[in-house]
Amino acid sequence: MQSLLRENRLFPPPADFAAKAHIQNLEQYESMYRKSVEEPEEFWAEAASELDWFEKWTTVLEGEMGSAKWFVGGKLNLSHNCVDRHALSNARDKVALLWEGEPGEVRKITYGELHVMVQQFANVLKGLGVGKGDRVAIYMGMCPELAIALLSCARIGAIHNVIFGGFASHALVDRINDSQCVAVLTQDVSYRRGGEVKLKAIVDEALGKCPTVKNVVVYQRSTVEGSPERKTPVSMVEGRDIWWHEAVATASAECPPEWMDSEDPLYILYTSGTTGKPKGLVHTTGGYSVGTYLTSKYIFDLQKDDVYFCTADIGWVTGHSYVVYGPLQNGTTVLMYEGAPNWPDCDRFWRIVDTHKVSVFYTAPTAIRAFIKWGDAYLAPYTLDSLRLLGTVGEPINPEAWMWYHTNIGKERCPIVDTWWQTETGAILIAPIPGAVGTKPGSATRPFFGIVPEVVTKEGEPVPKGQGGLLVIRKPWPSIARSIYGDPDRYKSAYFSEIPGSYFTGDGARQDEDGYFWLMGRVDDVINVSGHRLGSAEIESALVAHPKVAEAAVVGRPDEMKGQAIAAFVSLEEGHEASDALKQELRQWVAKEIGALARPDDLRFTPTLPKTRSGKIMRRLLRELATTGTVTGDTTTLEDFGVIAKLREGDE
Ligand code: ATP
Ligand code: MG
């Protein structure tokens, strides 16, 4: 029985894990949590004091939800806290970035080396006239220079705008123009699935339509020792483009960090676009630093010897907060991998884990569902015995996938932290503290320190435990985005007008008797059948629990009789055939798992589901398809447009 509504398995923190953890039992978590909500200023001041400040704040928290300011008057620099703080200590020779290229090259960069590289590149930016407050677009693949690009911007106070390296040139144009970037940092090529991604050529194509860009710095990725010889020549525009390696060769290795005000902008990042057109969220320096530092420390329980591998691309917020800023502030060794999980074969991640002795592994449900689909044989050659903690983020994780992760990757030994958060929240808001809070498959469990989530009605009234509703956050927290770039009104209306006084997450949730939160999917994706509200996650998890189903997406379409009818899109595990009999069996299965009400009216088999490039199912496109038979909505962040065409064909 793996339906979300009836999930009642509880996995207490393993005793040997808890014994060495930062937070070792439930009492400790609860007393820290109590302090964090009853005396937030004391709590956050203590946390912030673990970082370096050039000037201390005068007030910890000023203002209300929607306009709150944190660590007011404080001066700091995030690149200093990520790099200098460790480079100038006895951690100088510790590896900061451990990189593996897709073709197999390995680079190890210590905190001391990173300190030099960041200062040199920061000076290159300064030499181009880039200064505090200027926007810089970064369009690169996963390589150490990408992290260095972010840190160098942060060092001089330039606002970075990272654009995922898988986007096409029109997405680049939109984002560069929306934030009026003065420079673009890119690279010649990056490698994915054995092929070249021609990043510089895509930048060239975009820049004809981007009048604000004055300079382009190009990192030569293809010359790393052991790389395949570059096939595509790169054209350099005289007076606009410079090579990274040439520029740093003559740059001074001394660049004192800019003293940033706590509320000075740090970066702009566009959301995944799962529900609509992406929004450029603005994060600021002080609160974001403290939030990503503290969540990394406690939720990933980072320890001195950890080798930490977050599989997210830096193009997403997960990469910003949990590849770069959070773990580096903690002085952690961060593993970065350039390419695809199934290149040259489907065991690539496990090979990386065993080779580099990865101890903390953080990935997304979409990846876990792919591992399951590929089959357990890919795990057989690996011990995975360096792992001690696993994490997941991005979508609700189906209990079936959680159990697979727990058994096959965690070997029933590693706690799983299911981390719920958003681009807007900057840092994780709901997740188990692994040495203290027992886990339940499919639940993000309990709030992080200082976070007061509540499940409410449309009117903002609390709903009783066990019932579904809207997830809101009642109190301000340090790392919340301060604005939508260029559109402060949309910021107010999207997040603070729906339920006055609260932050509106846009997600549906339910809280159980133990106070655990269960994310039920987007509010927009809630299906209303004859007056009953069903979360997409519930029905999908029931389908995925069927032994033949790998992945499922469920949407509502208008129905005269019932208000909404349920349309399910199902992809099968390897080796199973689609058939009418299976269709009926699956419809029955859902009825048995959840109730007759949840039985899908239509059920279609499909080899793949439409997803964003960060791997999230785009239900809005499926909803449109199920309703009108076609798709006209924004598809700029869709991974593969061919999926829609195939689904349409399947229709006829
Ligand atoms: P857009 O806001 O542009 O539609 P998006 O919401 O997918 O895109 P992100 O900020 O990357 O952009 O994703 C945050 C969302 O991802 C959350 O609101 C939630 O729906 C989902 N999510 C993230 N982590 C989890 C999790 N652990 N459990 C359930 N849902 C999650
Ligand atoms: Mg969102």
Side-chain angles (χ1 to χ4, degrees):
M1 172 72 270
Q2 305 209 333
S3 154
L4 264 185
L5 287 173
R6 279 177 267 171
E7 179 59 60
N8 54 15
R9 284 168 291 198
L10 175 71
F11 296 86
D16 51 337
F17 183 98
K20 296 185 204 131
H22 287 297
I23 299 177
Q24 307 193 333
N25 54 57
L26 193 59
E27 294 67 44
Q28 204 183 341
Y29 160 74
E30 285 181 340
S31 88
M32 285 175 76
Y33 180 76
R34 220 172 302 120
K35 171 157 184 177
S36 74
V37 295
E38 285 167 10
E39 300 168 84
E41 304 210 13
E42 284 77 0
F43 178 88
W44 286 112
E46 237 169 74
S49 303
E50 294 180 27
L51 301 173
D52 287 349
W53 294 76
F54 304 133
E55 238 169 63
K56 209 181 153 183
W57 56 89
T58 50
T59 317
V60 176
L61 169 61
E62 208 177 87
E64 300 291 302
M65 182 61 102
S67 60
K69 295 187 166 77
W70 286 85
F71 309 109
V72 180
K75 305 274 185 214
L76 76 166
N77 185 289
L78 182 47
S79 103
H80 169 93
N81 276 314
C82 286
V83 184
D84 308 33
R85 211 157 62 91
H86 314 298
L88 303 176
S89 77
N90 55 13
R92 184 166 188 82
D93 297 324
K94 179 173 178 178
V95 174
L97 299 175
L98 198 179
W99 175 78
E100 199 175 292
E102 193 184 74
E105 317 93 311
V106 171
R107 290 168 68 194
K108 293 181 182 177
I109 297 172
T110 65
Y111 275 96
E113 290 163 340
L114 188 62
H115 194 213
V116 172
M117 294 165 96
V118 168
Q119 295 188 79
Q120 281 176 327
F121 193 68
N123 278 327
V124 169
L125 292 173
K126 276 188 170 174
L128 294 173
V130 177
K132 188 172 168 182
D134 287 338
R135 275 85 53 218
V136 174
I138 303 178
Y139 182 66
M140 297 177 74
M142 285 291 281
C143 60
E145 279 67 17
L146 171 53
I148 291 167
L150 270 69
L151 293 163
S152 303
C153 287
R155 195 165 192 90
I156 64 170
I159 302 169
H160 58 70
N161 172 8
V162 181
I163 302 164
F164 171 57
F167 282 144
S169 83
H170 62 96
L172 217 63
V173 172
D174 288 351
R175 288 165 176 73
I176 290 174
N177 289 344
D178 189 63
S179 54
Q180 298 167 301
C181 296
V182 298
V184 179
L185 314 179
T186 188
Q187 59 192 54
D188 53 352
V189 295
S190 145
Y191 298 103
R192 187 138 183 117
R193 294 217 171 85
E196 277 186 338
V197 186
K198 301 173 182 82
L199 294 167
K200 174 62 165 69
I202 298 169
V203 168
D204 288 338
E205 194 187 326
L207 289 194
K209 296 188 193 122
C210 302
T212 54
V213 174
K214 297 192 202 74
N215 292 104
V216 179
V217 188
V218 187
Y219 166 63
Q220 203 168 43
R221 155 71 184 96
S222 60
T223 54
V224 173
E225 210 184 307
S227 303
E229 213 179 304
R230 180 162 48 81
K231 298 179 205 88
T232 323
V234 167
S235 63
M236 299 291 277
V237 175
E238 185 77 46
R240 186 194 74 181
D241 302 353
I242 59 171
W243 286 107
W244 182 302
H245 59 278
E246 289 178 4
V248 294
T250 56
S252 149
E254 214 177 303
C255 179
E258 190 77 31
W259 286 28
M260 302 299 285
D261 190 272
S262 281
E263 287 296 328
D264 277 339
L266 172 69
Y267 68 76
I268 300 167
L269 181 66
Y270 292 82
T271 49
S272 303
T274 311
T275 54
K277 195 174 182 313
K279 332 167 243 298
L281 275 320
V282 181
H283 280 288
T284 56
T285 308
Y288 179 82
S289 297
V290 177
T292 53
Y293 165 73
L294 207 72
T295 46
S296 299
K297 173 177 172 178
Y298 288 133
I299 296 169
F300 298 111
D301 190 51
L302 294 175
Q303 304 285 348
K304 210 169 97 261
D305 298 325
D306 274 322
V307 176
Y308 166 93
F309 179 19
C310 167
T311 69
D313 194 285
I314 291 177
W316 313 118
V317 74
T318 303
H320 283 60
S321 299
Y322 299 110
V323 175
V324 182
Y325 292 126
L328 291 181
Q329 283 188 98
N330 279 278
T332 307
T333 295
V334 174
L335 190 140
M336 273 174 89
Y337 167 59
E338 178 181 47
N342 54 353
W343 190 265
D345 216 334
C346 299
D347 63 347
R348 186 63 185 263
F349 282 176
W350 320 129
R351 185 184 295 265
I352 290 175
V353 168
D354 270 14
T355 308
H356 300 291
K357 305 265 174 292
V358 170
S359 54
V360 180
F361 179 75
Y362 187 29
T363 196
T366 183
I368 297 168
R369 294 188 304 251
F371 305 147
I372 299 172
K373 202 166 173 177
W374 295 336
D376 297 354
Y378 289 107
L379 291 165
Y382 306 100
T383 69
L384 307 182
D385 58 10
S386 54
L387 290 173
R388 62 179 201 93
L389 178 68
L390 305 176
T392 139
V393 62
E395 290 180 291
I397 180 165
N398 314 116
E400 177 81 6
W402 195 102
M403 286 306 298
W404 183 92
Y405 200 29
H406 170 71
T407 311
N408 294 281
I409 307 302
K411 313 281 184 196
E412 299 179 4
R413 170 188 79 234
C414 305
I416 297 178
V417 290
D418 176 358
T419 63
W420 176 85
W421 60 296
Q422 309 175 302
T423 310
E424 294 86 343
T425 68
I428 298 166
L429 299 196
I430 305 180
I433 300 294
V437 175
T439 52
K440 301 183 187 184
S443 170
T445 78
R446 298 179 62 173
F448 189 69
F449 304 123
I451 307 303
V452 185
E454 196 166 7
V455 181
V456 301
T457 61
K458 278 208 299 295
E459 289 72 39
E461 296 301 322
V463 305
K465 291 233 169 91
Q467 278 182 27
L470 313 175
L471 181 67
V472 298
I473 313 294
R474 295 294 202 190
K475 281 177 183 248
W477 66 96
S479 64
I480 187 173
R482 302 297 197 264
S483 187
I484 293 178
Y485 191 80
D487 201 348
D489 293 341
R490 186 174 175 200
Y491 176 74
K492 287 262 179 273
S493 67
Y495 307 116
F496 306 102
S497 307
E498 208 83 21
I499 311 288
S502 294
Y503 169 78
F504 178 69
T505 67
D507 284 346
R510 170 171 70 82
Q511 198 180 13
D512 71 15
E513 290 301 329
D514 298 328
Y516 280 46
F517 287 89
W518 298 77
L519 274 300
M520 309 308 290
R522 320 276 174 155
V523 172
D524 306 348
D525 293 335
V526 167
I527 305 170
N528 200 328
V529 182
S530 310
H532 297 268
R533 295 164 64 79
L534 297 161
S536 50
E538 296 167 61
I539 310 174
E540 289 164 9
S541 286
L543 282 164
V544 171
H546 188 282
K548 293 182 183 165
V549 174
E551 251 183 338
V554 164
V555 296
R557 61 164 172 77
D559 182 274
E560 268 179 31
M561 295 296 291
K562 298 194 278 188
Q564 276 185 312
I566 300 172
F569 297 81
V570 171
S571 102
L572 295 175
E573 285 195 24
E574 225 100 304
H576 297 291
E577 288 290 317
S579 68
D580 269 344
L582 183 57
K583 199 179 275 191
Q584 297 318 323
E585 184 184 327
L586 291 176
R587 294 180 63 229
Q588 256 336 93
W589 169 272
V590 174
K592 183 174 75 49
E593 293 274 304
I594 302 179
L597 201 67
R599 181 191 289 121
D601 298 85
D602 315 335
L603 192 145
R604 282 187 230 183
F605 294 107
T606 167
T608 41
L609 295 167
K611 290 184 184 170
T612 63
R613 284 166 191 270
S614 55
K616 298 176 200 235
I617 299 170
M618 286 171 102
R619 290 180 196 76
R620 70 178 158 90
L621 300 184
L622 292 172
R623 186 161 48 237
E624 210 191 330
L625 191 72
T627 308
T628 65
T630 185
V631 169
T632 55
D634 187 294
T635 53
T636 47
T637 63
L638 182 66
E639 192 189 17
D640 173 11
F641 197 79
V643 174
I644 296 290
K646 278 200 207 97
L647 276 166
R648 245 193 245 138
E649 279 163 27
D651 221 20
E652 280 148 21

